[in-house]
Amino acid sequence: MAVAKLAAVAGSLIPAVVASSVHSLFGMPASSSSGSSSFFDEAGALPYLTFAPQLVPRLTNINNGPVLSKVEVVPLLFGDFEHRNELDAFYSFITASPWMRVMAQYGVAQSTSVEAITAPVSSSLRGRTIITSEEIESELFTWVLKGILKPTANTYFPVHFASGIRIVDTSTNSSSCTEWCGYHSALDLSTITDESSEVNSLFYAVMPQCSNICGVNSAGKTLWDDHVSTSSHELAEACTNPYAVNPLAANGRLAAWFDVSVGVNSGEGEIADICAT
């Protein structure tokens, strides 16, 4: 399957594609050019959004795949995350913003958020500075088993990491903040759910903090500006293509909105690429 490193939701970034043998990660590369973004104002209080006019690609849902029609954002925090209050405010704002109303045409009729959940003291990832993608999925699986996380067909869990924590994608041997800035995916829960259950997956994103290489490219931008730019990117794509797959690929049965003109081997066709150049 393909791993696609995609553009920020409102930033202009050049996508790059690498091969994956484990899971599909549609994310953002660690390189950028000029573009608009979403970030907090100078007072660090209310976030705002700006949009640059772009040509809209031919997004289709040829497999009639699922979307997060009533998405609820449940942020998860690992490490000494520096911006908890700002992150809660950001998701509270963006889920009620014009940006999410754009998603209505793709079947995302409602969006809400709740306060972030901090990793428990017992977490095996606490205190770590290098964490693998497999370890993240194992940790999420454990949280579900313990009842800490209660995924539904519309829950989205963006996993935010403190600055200084590097994530290694073991399927591609690539690292956060050098080859990519974030990705979203789906964790299979079928081994622990009832056959009649409608919830067989946990939808999540991996959100490291990367300095000056992700998101916006503007004078005076901060680490936080980059982080929420990537966060808005992954939120939009997780809602409209939650399984993060190309509908033309062998594993594309559950794919939703995608620009299939990019071809079978590309992951560059998710909704955030509308603003990519």
Side-chain angles (χ1 to χ4, degrees), residues 30 130 166-169 172-181 208:
I130 300 177
R166 180 165 66 95
I167 312 300
V168 177
D169 173 20
T172 61
N173 195 31
S174 59
S175 297
S176 61
C177 305
T178 54
E179 285 107 333
W180 50 268
C181 300

Side-chain angles (χ1 to χ4, degrees), residues 20-59:
S20 166
S21 59
V22 179
H23 57 283
S24 288
L25 313 178
F26 284 5
M28 190 175 80
S31 61
S32 66
S33 59
S34 62
S36 311
S37 187
S38 57
F39 47 93
F40 282 86
D41 61 18
E42 293 180 356
L46 296 176
Y48 58 91
L49 296 171
T50 58
F51 300 98
Q54 302 285 342
L55 293 176
V56 178
R58 297 183 294 275
L59 291 175

Side-chain angles (χ1 to χ4, degrees), residues 81-83 161-165 177 207-211 223-224 227:
F81 191 80
E82 303 90 334
H83 303 286
F161 293 87
S163 57
I165 297 178
C177 305
M207 308 298 305
Q209 292 196 62
C210 304
S211 178
L223 175 67
W224 179 242
H227 194 63

Side-chain angles (χ1 to χ4, degrees), residues 142-156:
T142 298
W143 285 26
V144 174
L145 286 174
K146 291 182 176 181
I148 299 172
L149 302 182
K150 297 178 171 58
T152 72
N154 282 293
T155 314
Y156 166 61

Side-chain angles (χ1 to χ4, degrees), residues 6 39 79 100 103 119 143 173 202 220 240 256 262:
L6 302 182
F39 47 93
M100 289 307 298
M103 307 304 152
W143 285 26
N173 195 31
L202 181 149
T240 54
V262 300

Side-chain angles (χ1 to χ4, degrees), residues 142-276:
T142 298
W143 285 26
V144 174
L145 286 174
K146 291 182 176 181
I148 299 172
L149 302 182
K150 297 178 171 58
T152 72
N154 282 293
T155 314
Y156 166 61
F157 297 95
V159 186
H160 294 263
F161 293 87
S163 57
I165 297 178
R166 180 165 66 95
I167 312 300
V168 177
D169 173 20
T170 53
S171 68
T172 61
N173 195 31
S174 59
S175 297
S176 61
C177 305
T178 54
E179 285 107 333
W180 50 268
C181 300
Y183 65 81
H184 75 98
S185 192
L187 174 62
D188 183 11
L189 300 178
S190 60
T191 60
I192 60 172
T193 55
D194 187 89
E195 290 184 359
S196 62
S197 174
E198 295 181 358
V199 182
N200 292 317
S201 300
L202 181 149
F203 305 113
Y204 72 97
V206 171
M207 308 298 305
Q209 292 196 62
C210 304
S211 178
N212 298 321
I213 56 173
C214 303
V216 297
N217 183 16
S218 59
K221 73 170 183 174
T222 66
L223 175 67
W224 179 242
D225 296 336
D226 282 344
H227 194 63
V228 294
S229 177
T230 308
S231 299
S232 58
H233 162 93
E234 300 303 339
L235 172 61
E237 294 191 335
C239 288
T240 54
N241 190 29
Y243 284 94
V245 289
N246 184 321
L248 301 179
N251 64 335
R253 179 177 59 86
L254 294 173
W257 291 97
F258 204 89
D259 177 13
V260 296
S261 68
V262 300
V264 64
N265 295 317
S266 176
E268 302 172 14
E270 291 190 297
I271 192 171
D273 284 337
I274 291 175
C275 293

